Amino acid sequence: MSDSSGWGPSGPSGPYWGAPGGWGWMPPPPPKPGVIPLAPLGADHILGGAFVTMRRYAKPLFGIAFAGIAALAALNLGLLYAAYLSTKTQLDRMTAAPRSIDWADLRTVLIVFGTVWIVGMLVSLVASSFVQASSAATLHDAVLGRRAPVGAVWRRAWSRTPSVLGVTLLMGLVVALPMVVLFVVFGMLLATVASRAPLVAFSLFPLVALLVIPLAVWLFVRFSFAPAAAVLEGASPVTAMRRSARLVRGAWWRTFGILLLGGLITLIVSIVVDLPLQMAVSAPRPYDLSSAQEPASVTQIYAQLLPAVGRSLVFSTIANVFVQLFALVFIPLVSSLLYIDQRIRREGLADVLLRASAAAETPGSVQ
């Protein structure tokens, strides 16, 4: 389907009278039951459609995203507090005698907080996958111009979260593999020539990075449609990755450019929100250990610093939550709209979407 054809053979047809600049025939505009016209999309339609979706469907999008962030933050704080309580004795001893830290105390602290960090990372991946799934599920109704009740979006997103999580893990593995190769190759080169020519060994690192980093970016863009395919097609992680690779083929640069624009918009929003708060809130003064007459415990240090950092922590937390909400919702919407655009261009999805928008009930998936 070409850009000039507008809607397609199965859509509404028939010219209308009154072309701009004089009398003449012009093709009718493509149907637009929801947030985007059912025709091949430009960058303005994709980015604009993401903003319109956030405005019209703020409740399911940001409500579910905020619930995920809040649950993740509460869990992380609970885990950190439990870790602190379980290692309070070791932390007090380490703070009282920082120059003679016992290895047993340090090992206990590292194990406990390392376990908390690993659990937090796993829960964060699940929460991020759930929010991505909810964004795609909301967009499913937004494109068709349907209501998106929070409960229905929640159930649909939760049912597809395992698949999106699998896609996230596979994408992380595929993208991280070139970086692992980089470090392995650099380590081998360093071990081989470092003793004879260390400057040559270190000069090889940028050359290897120039080969590996573009490969990682290429792989990320190639599989960027996989989360949308996992939700909107009900595909398994491997099938979603294959679908993304097929849809991106021949449109890599366009996909990369629009995703880059989405990332730049997210960065600008982050700066606009964070910079005024950084200028308005002064940095807390560091705690001076030398001023204490006797060794201070961790609890005493926290009690001393808490009044100074309280206001800064509140404002920075609000800013971080706002930026995270925007990024968690906006980027998946952009990639999902790109996915829909490629299916409209290559598979005639516009006809399916038009029939679905006119149906009495929303279908379970757009296939």
Side-chain angles (χ1 to χ4, degrees), residues 21-348:
W23 299 101
W25 297 93
M26 288 190 64
K32 188 179 179 182
V35 296
I36 57 171
L38 300 184
L41 305 175
D44 55 338
H45 294 116
I46 292 172
L47 298 175
F51 280 108
V52 172
T53 304
M54 288 191 296
R55 178 172 58 85
R56 294 183 184 177
Y57 296 85
K59 188 174 181 180
L61 283 174
F62 293 107
I64 292 177
F66 181 78
I69 291 178
L72 178 62
L75 179 61
N76 285 335
L77 287 175
L79 290 174
L80 286 173
Y81 185 67
Y84 166 71
L85 290 180
S86 63
T87 59
K88 184 176 182 300
T89 303
Q90 290 83 359
L91 289 172
D92 286 340
R93 283 201 298 261
M94 292 168 60
T95 306
R99 297 184 178 179
S100 59
I101 295 177
D102 185 25
W103 167 244
D105 292 339
L106 180 60
R107 181 178 58 191
T108 301
V109 171
L110 291 177
I111 291 175
V112 172
F113 281 91
T115 303
V116 168
W117 181 80
I118 293 173
V119 173
M121 287 295 294
L122 293 176
V123 176
S124 177
L125 285 175
V126 174
S128 176
S129 301
F130 175 65
V131 174
Q132 287 189 70
S134 67
S135 298
T138 303
L139 187 63
H140 172 274
D141 292 328
V143 170
L144 301 177
R146 303 289 180 81
R147 292 179 60 254
V150 175
V153 173
W154 185 290
R155 290 189 295 271
R156 191 184 310 157
W158 186 250
S159 66
R160 301 309 306 160
T161 296
S163 183
V164 177
L165 177 61
V167 166
T168 302
L169 294 175
L170 285 176
M171 287 182 64
L173 179 63
V174 169
V175 174
L177 188 59
M179 307 305 296
V180 174
V181 173
L182 168 65
F183 286 111
V184 170
V185 171
F186 177 69
M188 294 174 61
L189 291 174
L190 186 63
T192 303
V193 300
S195 58
R196 299 179 181 178
L199 293 179
V200 174
F202 282 101
S203 65
L204 293 175
F205 180 78
L207 297 177
V208 178
L210 287 176
L211 295 175
V212 175
I213 294 178
L215 177 60
V217 174
W218 180 80
L219 289 171
F220 175 81
V221 174
R222 184 175 177 83
F223 298 116
S224 59
F225 295 167
V231 177
L232 298 178
E233 297 184 34
S236 65
V238 175
T239 303
M241 300 276 282
R242 291 174 179 171
R243 286 283 292 150
S244 177
R246 282 199 295 269
L247 290 172
V248 173
R249 187 181 298 119
W252 189 94
W253 282 108
R254 181 173 183 272
T255 304
F256 169 74
I258 296 178
L259 288 177
L260 182 61
L261 282 176
L264 290 176
I265 291 174
T266 303
L267 178 62
I268 292 172
V269 170
S270 174
I271 294 174
V272 169
V273 172
D274 190 58
L275 188 59
L277 294 177
Q278 293 291 338
M279 297 175 63
V281 180
S282 59
R285 291 178 298 177
Y287 182 81
D288 187 6
L289 292 174
S290 63
S291 64
Q293 297 180 354
E294 59 183 12
S297 66
V298 175
T299 304
Q300 291 172 329
I301 294 176
Y302 286 164
Q304 180 75 16
L305 291 177
L306 189 58
V309 303
R311 187 175 62 176
S312 176
L313 182 62
V314 169
F315 280 105
S316 62
T317 300
I318 294 173
N320 288 333
V321 168
F322 180 84
V323 172
Q324 286 185 24
L325 282 174
F326 181 83
L328 283 173
V329 170
F330 183 70
I331 298 299
L333 286 178
V334 171
S335 61
S336 298
L337 286 169
L338 274 167
Y339 156 85
I340 292 174
D341 171 57
Q342 284 302 110
R343 290 199 61 186
I344 289 175
R345 293 173 183 269
R346 298 188 177 185
E347 302 176 356

